[in-house]
Amino acid sequence: MFEINTQNKIPVYEQIYTQLRQQIINGELPKGSRLTPTRTLAKDYHLSRNTVLSAYLQLQSEGFIRSVQGSGFYVEDLPEYKGRTIKEERKNTDSDKRKLLRYDFRYGLIEPNIYTNRGFRKAMKDAYEKLELKKAVYDEDPQGLLSLRQAICDHLKQERGVNADPEQLVVTSGHHYSLQLITSLLSKDEYCFFMEEPGHQDSRESFIEAGYDVHPLELDNNGAIISKLKGIKNAIVYVTPSHQFPSGYILPIGRRMRLLDWASKNNGYIIEDDYDSELRYKERPIPSLHSLDHNDRVIYFGSFSKSLSSDLRVSYVLLPQSLKLYFNDSQPFINSAVSSLIQLTLNEYIDSGEYQRRINSIRNLYRKKHNMIIDFFRNYYEDDIKIFGSGGGTHLLLEINTNLDQEKIISKFKENDIGVYPTDIFWANKKKARRNQILIAYSGIPLEELNDHLLQMKKVLDEIIDS
Amino acid sequence: MFEINTQNKIPVYEQIYTQLRQQIINGELPKGSRLTPTRTLAKDYHLSRNTVLSAYLQLQSEGFIRSVQGSGFYVEDLPEYKGRTIKEERKNTDSDKRKLLRYDFRYGLIEPNIYTNRGFRKAMKDAYEKLELKKAVYDEDPQGLLSLRQAICDHLKQERGVNADPEQLVVTSGHHYSLQLITSLLSKDEYCFFMEEPGHQDSRESFIEAGYDVHPLELDNNGAIISKLKGIKNAIVYVTPSHQFPSGYILPIGRRMRLLDWASKNNGYIIEDDYDSELRYKERPIPSLHSLDHNDRVIYFGSFSKSLSSDLRVSYVLLPQSLKLYFNDSQPFINSAVSSLIQLTLNEYIDSGEYQRRINSIRNLYRKKHNMIIDFFRNYYEDDIKIFGSGGGTHLLLEINTNLDQEKIISKFKENDIGVYPTDIFWANKKKARRNQILIAYSGIPLEELNDHLLQMKKVLDEIIDS
């Protein structure tokens, strides 16, 4: 009845448990039947009675059998449950979703790799040592460590003119999660959502997914056309005023003031996504919209994704005072989205002054890359390629004189192991996207390799550009 | 008109920019007025013309002035925007939200501190070195690193009988974010939500927040009463079958099969939150509901919060095949919620076998703590304190023979620097909560300090227990 192997690595009680369990599920041991008494079974198989009892107690705690005082163990009345007997074999189809191509102008790549930065390594070492000293590490604050929030606020004040209060700052695990915080704080029943068109795809989709009425806010050559908000009340407006994503326009001061004025008079909230503002190559960084806001209407989004690495997964949201946080002691089960180690590391890195040094250093480096690319296209394709979005950030839009559409252009490049990216995904109304436009980012390509990358690109461009 | 200080740390062009900007905002330089020509200004202040031009170009790029070919720079027509001139002083009221008390039986504390674990330290060192070798680090997969997902699946298969496919696994930054993944995948218009009552507060609130119809699924002494689902269709049911949270019941096999059967016949999904199943002290861990599911109805929630540390902020969700993920290459802007460093560290830690060792070691340690507490209450308060939820996990419920209610009990303990916690928050209908019940967790208290903690507790208990 049982196969017991005492030489087996599997404990004997588990062997008994497994076989009995199977017999009950099979129906070999039908409901109501009495199990062999533990004493008998132990004797028959030369086992200790406790071993057998362990197996029975396990079955009892899982509800397969019940014990009747003075009488023994009986199989419970189990409902029938038939499923496919064997699970369909799942094929592992996990593809290399984001495999890099040999020459990849991928958005979001940042070099030099922050993990090779001496200051960062030291910050992490210090952070780790601090954590080692604790008896038990736990999530001290669901908003993010206070000292990190203070360091971010000090940085924002100095760099972006943002008058930030750590109490209103929330550390998140990235842009997507910053958006989720807002959709959880502002009700879709009270607010509709206006979104730059074209604009950041994930911002649009997050609000659609959360059930908001989502409307486009069109751009002209100065960025979002604020006058279109006339007559609108109770709306959240998402803008990237310092460097419109993806088009690169800078929202002029007149429109900024009009936008703020609209928000204060119409119960509007403005999400200012300041995603790459530190990286300006001609002028100083453009002052933030938040720095002009006197009426508590701006929700400021910041991130370490461009300045350090998107792979750190740290962004932050600075909330207006009117948006009360739902984090408090009566909700002990919501935790911060970022591990203490990463938070403490950033804290140390900012406080040591190394973060500002890093920003200055990549700004200088990216300026060189930016200028090299602009020069390249001017030299070779002055009449055939229009560039949008120059002057800052990590990406450019190229409009190519070709009959091919985006998909074809991209696949032509891909055939040559070159990664360039579509822009039509940024339009709610894809028909309005420029057919012959692509996005390239240069932040991930080392300066010394950039020329070679561009020459590879040239081969394809020479082929696809209409003569 | 200008105050230029060449000894100042602030660059001269910025001094000019700032002052002109202020004059425009003030109205000192009204709209349409022509700025002093760059050449003149440069001469008057003994500056290079390029310095002045830089300031003007910055103002132009921000939209304060425009350049008219051959004529110079003119102030733009800016709208009026009046706000409170000074932002209200924000008081830093950030309290010590989660400050630990001297004797804190806080849920979520885990010791020994994982950062002091040699294997973990080595895993992190190895992970860091791997990252250093990359040119540019980026988020390779929004679902989580494939190798980590594979390691988790192997672990689940072995430990929990879960037949897991890495393709269906998503790494999240904690329970709250696992819930958000589900609310984003299953529409509230199609599904309602049933939740154990009492049950995990955040699970209930996340679904309420996301707009679902939320219904209680009451418990009896065997856990959730599955028969109450009769007649219900299109529902998500949240259960903690291996160790009901917070009550500690184990859902019997009969009810498990009934629940699975209900789900397969009624388009139901079951969220199996397997939050602390590795920690059983009498029996083996209870097999997962997922291991019995042949019809693709179980959404399995796992976490490293109990086995390692909640502060790592890593959980995971194993989706049924019927739930298609929205992650794909056309959505390049959604990223994983967890940094590569933490993911790689866990990957190394699991693969090295150290993770399993850690689980075994804390299981033995927590068993001792668990038994010490049970013995303590049996010895001193056999008649006056009922214990719920023993046998596994990291917490217990105590029902105290006292006239005081939860709030009073907790504040009595707090006066003595002892942290114990309410249970009424776990009920949707708080009136049903037991008035005199509290939750204590022991995972964060070192074994050698536990007796002292209990003796401190005794002082308060002796005072509040009714004679």
Side-chain angles (χ1 to χ4, degrees), chain B residues 208-411:
Chain B
I208 291 174
E209 191 184 90
Y212 291 75
D213 281 331
V214 174
H215 308 279
L217 182 61
E218 278 86 12
L219 310 182
D220 60 17
N221 289 339
N222 286 313
I225 306 170
I226 304 303
S227 56
K228 301 235 169 172
L229 293 171
K230 211 176 157 181
I232 306 292
K233 285 188 173 303
N234 310 320
I236 307 164
V237 179
Y238 174 95
V239 288
T240 45
S242 295
H243 191 224
Q244 204 276 332
F245 185 86
S247 309
Y249 303 120
I250 298 169
L251 196 67
I253 183 73
R255 291 195 182 179
R256 287 170 189 243
M257 290 163 102
R258 227 168 273 131
L259 179 58
L260 289 164
D261 193 49
W262 164 84
S264 67
K265 287 176 180 158
N266 296 285
N267 186 31
Y269 280 107
I270 302 160
I271 296 178
E272 173 180 28
D273 187 357
D274 208 27
Y275 68 104
D276 69 3
S277 58
E278 286 113 341
L279 302 172
R280 295 300 306 170
Y281 309 133
K282 291 181 193 160
E283 324 89 10
R284 323 175 332 137
I286 309 299
S288 68
L289 196 58
H290 192 283
S291 65
L292 296 167
D293 173 26
H294 303 296
N295 289 313
D296 203 40
R297 308 315 303 177
V298 173
I299 300 164
Y300 180 91
F301 275 27
S303 169
F304 294 98
S305 291
K306 297 290 173 293
S307 51
L308 298 179
S309 165
S310 73
D311 130 283
L312 279 177
R313 312 306 313 130
V314 187
S315 294
Y316 48 86
V317 178
L318 186 64
L319 293 166
Q321 283 184 294
S322 51
L323 290 188
K324 288 272 166 274
L325 279 169
Y326 57 87
F327 300 126
N328 59 52
D329 205 38
S330 76
Q331 279 169 315
F333 297 100
I334 294 184
N335 284 298
S336 167
V338 181
S339 70
S340 302
L341 178 67
I342 301 287
Q343 290 195 64
L344 268 178
T345 300
L346 286 174
N347 194 170
E348 304 270 339
Y349 192 61
I350 296 171
D351 284 350
S352 67
E354 290 287 335
Y355 179 55
Q356 190 56 53
R357 200 166 303 160
R358 160 85 176 182
I359 290 174
N360 298 340
S361 134
I362 64 169
R363 188 189 288 133
N364 288 331
L365 175 63
Y366 291 3
R367 179 185 291 115
K368 286 178 196 156
K369 297 186 192 182
H370 168 272
N371 294 346
M372 184 188 281
I373 294 177
I374 301 285
D375 288 348
F376 174 85
F377 287 115
R378 280 216 189 113
N379 287 339
Y380 289 106
Y381 302 105
E382 174 133 38
D383 300 323
D384 289 319
I385 293 182
K386 267 198 237 172
I387 299 175
F388 296 88
S390 64
T394 61
H395 74 280
L396 296 166
L397 302 189
L398 306 181
E399 210 170 292
I400 305 168
N401 174 23
T402 174
N403 271 323
L404 301 181
D405 60 17
Q406 294 194 8
E407 201 182 334
K408 287 260 170 60
I409 298 172
I410 290 164
S411 80

Side-chain angles (χ1 to χ4, degrees), chain A residues 13-14 58 62 94 98 113 121 131-132 138 180 205 253 283-284 311 313 331 336 340, chain B residues 13-14 58 62 98 113 121 131-132 138 167 180 205 253 283-284 311 313 331 334 336 340:
Chain A
Y13 91 91
E14 195 173 327
Q58 176 78 21
E62 294 178 22
D94 210 319
R98 297 186 174 184
N113 174 352
R121 202 188 288 115
L131 288 174
E132 278 182 309
Y138 78 113
Q180 283 186 336
E205 288 183 2
I253 183 72
E283 326 87 10
R284 320 175 335 138
D311 130 283
R313 313 306 312 133
Q331 279 169 314
S336 168
S340 302
Chain B
Y13 91 92
E14 196 174 326
Q58 175 76 22
E62 293 179 21
R98 296 186 174 185
N113 175 351
R121 202 188 287 115
L131 287 174
E132 276 183 311
Y138 78 115
E167 188 67 14
Q180 283 186 337
E205 288 184 1
I253 183 73
E283 324 89 10
R284 323 175 332 137
D311 130 283
R313 312 306 313 130
Q331 279 169 315
I334 294 184
S336 167
S340 302

Side-chain angles (χ1 to χ4, degrees), chain A residues 19 24 58 69 80 96 159 176 237 244 330 392 455:
Chain A
Q19 292 175 57
I24 295 170
Q58 176 78 21
Q69 187 103 39
E80 259 194 82
D96 297 315
E159 282 292 297
H176 188 66
V237 179
Q244 204 278 331
S330 77
L455 291 174

Side-chain angles (χ1 to χ4, degrees), chain A residues 370-386:
Chain A
H370 168 272
N371 293 345
M372 184 188 281
I373 294 178
I374 302 285
D375 288 347
F376 175 85
F377 287 114
R378 281 219 186 110
N379 286 339
Y380 289 106
Y381 302 105
E382 172 133 39
D383 300 324
D384 289 320
I385 293 181
K386 267 197 237 173

